[in-house]
Amino acid sequence: MRKLNHFHGGIHPPSNKTQSTQVAIAHAPLPSKLIVPFHQHAGEIAKPVVQVGDHVLKGQLIGMPDGFVSSAVHAPTSGTITAIDLQLIAHPSGLPNLCATLIPDGKDEWVERKAVDYRDHSQPELQQLLRMNGVVGLGGAAFPSDVKLRIGKQKIKTLILNGAECEPYITCDDMLMRERANEIVQGAQMLRFMLDADEVLYGVEDNKPEAIAALQQAIKESNLNHDVVAIPTVYPGGSAKQLIRVLTGLEVPSGKLPTDIGVQCFNVATAYSVCRALAHGEPLLSRIITITGNVRRAQNFEALIGTPIDYLVALGEALSDTDGYIMGGPMMGIPLPSVHVPVVKATNCIIATSAKLFPQPQPSMPCIRCTRCVEACPADLQPQDLYWFAQSKEFGKAQKFSLFDCIECGACSYVCPSHIPLVQYYRFAKSEIRAREHDKQLADQARVRHEFREHRFEREKQEKADKLAAREAAAQAAKLASTQPLTPQQLAEQADLEARREHIREVAQSSVENTAVENTTERTGN
Amino acid sequence: MLSALLVMAGIAIALGAVLGYAAIKFRVEGNPLVDKIDAILPQTQCGQCGFPGCKPYATAIAAGEADINKCPPGGEEGIHKLAELLGMEFKPLGGNAVPKPKSVAFIDEATCIGCTLCIQACPVDAIAGAAKQMHTIIAAECTGCELCVAPCPVDCISMKVIEEKITNWKWKYPVYALNTVETTNVAGAALQKTNGRAPG
Ligand code: SF4
Ligand code: SF4
């Protein structure tokens, strides 16, 4: 039995998970239209490589990764691309982003799939395969998995498969572990190979006994020495740093990555897609999504990326008093700007909300410095101080108080007796700080460009002055050259020239004198 | 003759060494205070402060010859930072200058006659083009100083406010109803329901 550790704080919100685990994962039928965003992952947006009117096959590349942190995007089914334009997506801003609209032809016809045996490939080759298959973290942040595997010379001791799924309502990982444990385990083995990790641990909260049993069974069947660990159910136990702490006792230092302490974490659903990508040659085209909350039939669906969320919500039969939708869990999820946005790789759960399920928050009141938030904070921060600095826009101080170690779990807001929406202040402060850092970079660039321009002017002036000086020097030199001694021949020529000039002058002089005389006589004659 | 040459050469070398050493030892560093002030200024190089660029303004502030509230693009925040750096009191933006939303210049390429006047005006070389060729603003490098707008003889340069896009979007300052107020923004309304408000 492994000795488990604890992280500071944490809360126990009602889990609300059983609603959606009563029936098996269902395949959502093919919708009549798919909207596939080109930016579904952390990092740079993928570049479209298809045109409007193109017929595409299922699994065909439509968005090429562009930049180091980026990932590929594929056609989730066969059909025709009818538009590539800005469409509303699941983003808290409610702003549109570039998407391809795909009208399925109903044949679901695959491109050629190439399965590989991972053991025959080098790590860079496998990373490239994952990148081109659009494999990204399915836990929520959608960080490209290949980037997490590029660890350089760092030694990875422990590979952690995150099946904690600590947020209320969400059950997609739970159901995936129950039903497809075998492929998760295969994928984990592939990830272990790519990281050359010594041990593989699965962290699953102890409120998912079926999932734990399924994983153990799958590991036994495939004769691997992976270890499934049941961890206590505490929110946010599924957050990477907290999970690492519980399983290994190690602390990821502020500003560092898990790999810096020899640990790497992947979501169980990510391991599943790694297996699909390598062992079956299938890019990431679909995912499991929990449809729950204010619906008649809460259930998990396997849906194609690009499926309009209203289509899924209809499958779950949202109740009539539904007044909104949250993508993700109630703690960290984002409210959808519209129900017509498409499913993306990060869509793990859709919660229909109603006034009854999610009553309006009570009006917030001043902070009474009760420090309940401090007790709850899993990142060991001082949320009340962070709040104070964020609301007064003292961003430098907020940063000094480790604002960027905040994982935005919402535990502090949950316990705050003054109902202060603390996390929103942190999000605001973080994005302001990031924008300022960006502005600073731009300003530094502008300074360099301006200085370069000044320098160029200076140089041009200098060059002009130099040229002028050179010209003067040349004139001087020419003058000097003229005083050089002449050859006898030149002297003779010069003498000859002078003699002729003298003669002309004499002639001219005499004629002038003559005319002058004549003129005088004429005048006197008058 | 030769000895005279050697003596001269020797003196020249010795003096050269002394000068070289002195140049290193007593090098005049760039004024660190000026650099610190310059680091706060937004580098728009617009000259609205009355100086021909950010660095000259920074130099003037450091010398105590200019007030800290003369930079409209830096806004109140810039003034706060300068006040903090210099241990002075904050004062509101001087004159009747108002901070404007960040913009970049835009050239109407159909009207541009390729006169290069704007290129000469741009303090950060953010305009590409050659004589008699149409010019284009490199938007990523434009500081929005507006210095190119006036010189254009055919008025084809306009300032465009930078639009909010998904790539530069920021979380807003939480506007929280102290008492329930109807919100028209769906996102805002729903936001109030999330973030640590799991149903009881
Ligand atoms: S829980 Fe709320 S009221 Fe208490 S110290 Fe934290 S922010 Fe203040
Ligand atoms: S949201 Fe941030 S400050 Fe609040 S409890 Fe979570 S980690 Fe701590």
Side-chain angles (χ1 to χ4, degrees):
Chain A
M1 194 61 201
R2 179 172 290 272
K3 189 186 160 293
L4 291 182
N5 300 275
H6 294 279
F7 60 88
H8 175 267
I11 52 169
H12 294 92
S15 75
N16 281 308
K17 286 181 188 266
T18 43
Q19 297 94 312
S20 53
T21 53
Q22 300 309 311
V23 286
I25 301 170
H27 280 269
L30 193 64
S32 56
K33 179 171 96 175
L34 294 169
I35 305 155
V36 187
F38 286 97
H39 200 191
Q40 301 186 35
H41 44 266
E44 300 292 318
I45 186 168
K47 250 218 222 86
V49 289
V50 284
Q51 261 140 34
V52 174
D54 283 3
H55 183 264
V56 291
L57 294 175
K58 183 182 180 114
Q60 184 178 331
L61 184 79
I62 61 169
M64 182 66 105
D66 189 22
F68 180 65
V69 182
S70 186
S71 198
V73 176
H74 302 81
T77 184
S78 58
T80 310
I81 304 283
T82 57
I84 294 178
D85 56 4
L86 295 178
Q87 303 263 353
L88 206 55
I89 58 160
H91 191 271
S93 65
L95 292 167
N97 208 351
L98 195 66
C99 299
T101 306
L102 173 65
I103 303 295
D105 59 12
K107 294 188 210 141
D108 215 24
E109 195 183 330
W110 271 97
V111 283
E112 193 199 337
R113 276 167 286 181
K114 261 223 298 289
V116 298
D117 187 339
Y118 64 95
R119 281 159 296 210
D120 299 341
H121 292 269
S122 69
Q123 293 182 353
E125 279 167 3
L126 292 169
Q127 288 157 9
Q128 184 62 16
L129 274 172
L130 293 183
R131 176 176 159 101
M132 292 311 291
N133 276 309
V135 178
V136 301
L138 296 182
F143 196 79
S145 299
D146 60 294
V147 181
K148 281 176 82 175
L149 291 165
R150 293 177 212 268
I151 46 166
K153 287 198 176 52
Q154 271 161 329
K155 171 71 194 137
I156 299 296
K157 185 172 167 289
T158 312
L159 165 64
I160 293 177
L161 275 301
N162 188 345
E165 197 160 59
C166 59
E167 262 216 66
Y169 282 100
I170 312 176
T171 58
C172 56
D173 289 348
D174 186 3
M175 295 308 285
L176 187 78
M177 289 187 279
R178 291 190 202 187
E179 296 185 19
R180 305 182 194 174
N182 194 35
E183 279 156 304
I184 295 175
V185 170
Q186 301 307 322
Q189 185 61 18
M190 296 172 193
L191 287 167
R192 175 191 205 163
F193 176 82
M194 289 183 256
L195 290 167
D196 196 18
D198 296 341
E199 57 172 354
V200 182
L201 302 179
Y202 296 74
V204 187
E205 281 193 345
D206 55 14
N207 60 359
K208 305 179 195 40
E210 298 91 341
I212 294 172
L215 283 175
Q216 277 165 340
Q217 179 70 20
I219 292 166
K220 211 163 100 204
E221 276 166 17
S222 36
N223 253 327
L224 295 166
N225 60 340
H226 297 183
D227 210 351
V228 184
V229 187
I231 57 168
T233 300
V234 186
Y235 179 83
S239 171
K241 287 189 177 181
Q242 281 63 34
L243 183 62
I244 290 170
R245 168 116 191 117
V246 169
L247 289 178
T248 67
L250 297 173
E251 186 88 41
V252 184
S254 172
K256 290 271 197 271
L257 295 171
T259 47
D260 295 326
I261 55 163
V263 184
Q264 188 58 298
C265 254
F266 286 94
N267 185 273
V268 284
T270 315
Y272 173 79
S273 352
V274 168
C275 173
R276 296 305 304 179
L278 298 181
H280 303 269
E282 285 177 14
L284 183 45
L285 304 183
S286 64
R287 67 157 299 147
I288 318 288
I289 299 150
T290 311
I291 303 294
T292 184
N294 197 37
V295 294
R296 191 162 291 116
R297 296 175 42 212
Q299 192 178 355
N300 280 280
F301 290 96
E302 174 155 19
L304 293 178
I305 304 300
T307 304
I309 282 172
D310 47 356
Y311 182 80
L312 286 182
V313 167
L315 293 176
E317 296 173 26
L319 300 175
S320 57
D321 60 338
T322 299
D323 59 3
Y325 297 90
I326 297 170
M327 181 173 111
M331 302 294 295
M332 296 180 74
I334 54 159
L336 289 178
S338 146
V339 72
H340 304 296
V341 298
V343 163
V344 288
K345 291 173 184 175
T347 311
N348 50 4
C349 179
I350 301 292
I351 305 176
T353 60
S354 69
K356 215 165 99 231
L357 270 185
F358 296 86
Q360 280 283 335
Q362 296 180 41
S364 50
M365 298 204 283
C367 169
I368 51 170
R369 298 193 74 81
C370 65
T371 68
R372 278 196 220 171
C373 49
V374 181
E375 278 158 37
C377 177
D380 249 327
L381 303 172
Q382 301 285 325
Q384 82 285 19
D385 290 337
L386 290 178
Y387 158 66
W388 185 254
F389 297 135
Q391 65 83 30
S392 57
K393 304 186 187 166
E394 290 174 82
F395 300 126
K397 287 199 187 132
Q399 260 179 301
K400 264 196 212 111
F401 276 68
S402 311
L403 173 65
F404 281 90
D405 282 350
C406 165
I407 55 171
E408 299 176 22
C409 66
C412 50
S413 322
Y414 184 76
V415 297
C416 176
S418 291
H419 309 288
I420 304 173
L422 298 163
V423 181
Q424 293 199 52
Y425 284 98
Y426 308 151
R427 284 180 173 161
F428 156 74
K430 282 184 185 178
S431 83
E432 283 298 324
I433 291 168
R434 287 201 193 100
R436 277 171 176 68
E437 275 166 5
H438 180 71
D439 285 351
K440 180 97 187 65
Q441 264 175 19
L442 289 183
D444 287 344
Q445 276 169 28
R447 182 184 298 110
V448 170
R449 292 179 72 80
H450 181 65
E451 275 169 7
F452 178 74
R453 181 181 147 95
E454 303 270 279
H455 173 75
R456 199 183 65 222
F457 278 176
E458 206 48 47
R459 199 184 59 207
E460 275 167 9
K461 232 170 55 205
Q462 187 63 42
E463 275 169 6
K464 255 188 212 153
D466 284 353
K467 248 191 227 151
L468 202 68
R471 223 181 291 145
E472 267 168 18
Q476 202 69 30
K479 222 171 166 187
L480 266 174
S482 62
T483 57
Q484 292 287 310
L486 299 173
T487 60
Q489 199 190 347
Q490 278 173 326
L491 280 174
E493 270 173 22
Q494 227 170 37
D496 188 35
L497 213 67
E498 274 312 303
R500 252 186 282 162
R501 277 193 194 132
E502 192 52 31
H503 174 70
I504 291 169
R505 251 179 252 133
E506 267 166 32
V507 174
Q509 194 65 32
S510 61
S511 72
V512 168
E513 273 163 20
N514 292 345
T515 6
V517 175
E518 278 165 25
N519 280 351
T520 351
T521 26
E522 268 172 36
R523 240 176 259 143
T524 42
N526 280 342
Chain B
M1 175 70 188
L2 188 69
S3 60
L5 269 181
L6 283 176
V7 168
M8 291 306 283
I11 291 173
I13 289 170
L15 283 176
V18 170
L19 280 176
Y21 175 74
I24 293 166
K25 173 94 190 180
F26 305 112
R27 176 168 38 201
V28 183
E29 290 286 351
N31 186 339
L33 182 60
V34 173
D35 285 344
K36 271 189 200 149
I37 297 172
D38 194 40
I40 293 174
L41 298 177
Q43 304 304 315
T44 319
Q45 314 292 358
C46 60
Q48 289 178 68
C49 50
F51 294 88
C54 300
K55 189 80 175 255
Y57 178 41
T59 314
I61 295 177
E65 289 158 7
D67 235 335
I68 56 171
N69 63 346
K70 297 259 174 283
C71 173
E76 298 217 327
E77 198 172 317
I79 303 171
H80 272 296
K81 279 195 192 149
L82 287 173
E84 198 176 321
L85 173 71
L86 301 167
M88 292 164 78
E89 280 290 305
F90 168 81
K91 43 178 100 169
L93 204 54
N96 12 4
V98 261
K100 290 187 207 164
K102 279 190 85 174
S103 323
V104 289
F106 174 78
I107 295 182
D108 175 10
E109 292 173 356
T111 320
C112 171
I113 52 169
C115 70
T116 76
L117 287 177
C118 59
I119 296 188
Q120 292 164 42
C122 176
V124 291
D125 289 338
I127 306 180
K132 306 241 168 68
Q133 311 268 306
M134 104 209 156
H135 302 345
T136 311
I137 309 269
I138 309 164
E141 274 152 16
C142 171
T143 64
C145 70
E146 303 189 11
L147 291 180
C148 55
V149 176
C152 178
V154 290
D155 273 344
C156 73
I157 307 182
S158 53
M159 299 305 294
K160 293 223 151 125
V161 174
I162 297 175
E163 268 175 54
E164 183 169 63
K165 285 197 295 277
I166 222 157
T167 40
N168 64 8
W169 175 81
K170 294 189 281 185
W171 285 94
K172 302 291 174 289
Y173 191 85
V175 261
Y176 264 80
L178 282 177
N179 259 313
T180 359
V181 170
E182 280 303 309
T183 73
T184 45
N185 179 342
V186 187
L191 251 179
Q192 303 194 347
K193 296 203 183 103
T194 61
N195 304 324
R197 297 199 189 270

